[in-house]
Amino acid sequence: MIVRTFLIAALLAATPAAAETIPGARIVIIDGDTVALPGGERLRLLDIDAPESFRSSCEAELVAGLKTKERLRQLLRDQDVTIERSGRDRYRRTLGRLFTEDGDVGEILLTERLALPYVPGRKAERDAHWCGSRR
């Protein structure tokens, strides 16, 4: 009996949380890789790094950040959005993926070259990508 209870508990712990679907109009776009969900929960898109639209390192990054933010708004607007959560980051934001009928929103931003694959601790490389040698 104890072994069976342990196995059931282990299986439940290993099972990802159920996905949640909400109308995209209820999601507030913070920047190209972060949104606020109803209730105030902040979600950072997993595995992408979008240019900053707030505290950007240069004007080119600001322009790219605003473009990415607008594209994210277009992808979510007037769509049902499925949220798959996957832990938290060091800023206590939820990490996760957003899906619409068009697919994984983060993957779309990567494919359209509006975001980079996320690599932790590479600020200098991100700055060089968005700002080039003119910082």
Side-chain angles (χ1 to χ4, degrees):
M1 177 74 170
I2 293 174
V3 172
R4 189 168 127 205
T5 304
F6 176 77
L7 287 174
I8 291 171
L11 285 172
L12 289 175
T15 304
E20 171 187 359
T21 301
I22 63 171
R26 297 188 60 209
I27 297 174
V28 176
I29 311 302
I30 305 297
D31 66 17
D33 56 21
T34 307
V35 299
L37 301 175
E41 176 186 11
R42 289 202 178 204
L43 182 135
R44 185 172 192 299
L45 294 174
L46 197 58
D47 297 331
I48 74 163
D49 193 8
E52 298 296 329
S53 59
F54 180 73
R55 294 189 182 159
S56 48
S57 295
C58 65
E59 188 172 341
E61 182 181 24
L62 173 61
V63 170
L66 293 172
K67 182 177 178 181
T68 303
K69 183 177 177 178
E70 178 56 30
R71 180 63 176 134
L72 181 56
R73 183 183 280 67
Q74 291 170 357
L75 288 167
L76 301 180
R77 182 179 43 219
D78 301 327
Q79 300 244 16
D80 285 334
V81 179
T82 300
I83 303 159
E84 288 186 2
R85 292 171 177 82
S86 183
R88 292 195 177 272
D89 69 6
R90 68 181 182 199
Y91 303 108
R92 304 179 109 178
R93 294 175 295 192
T94 300
L95 295 171
R97 298 186 191 285
L98 301 177
F99 297 89
T100 66
E101 64 184 33
D102 298 321
D104 181 330
V105 172
E107 287 294 322
I108 293 169
L109 294 175
L110 286 171
T111 300
E112 293 178 1
R113 305 182 124 210
L114 295 170
L116 299 172
Y118 179 75
V119 178
R122 300 275 175 104
K123 181 170 176 15
E125 289 180 30
R126 291 189 299 270
D127 285 351
H129 179 82
W130 301 115
C131 298
S133 59
R134 296 175 288 170
R135 271 198 66 198

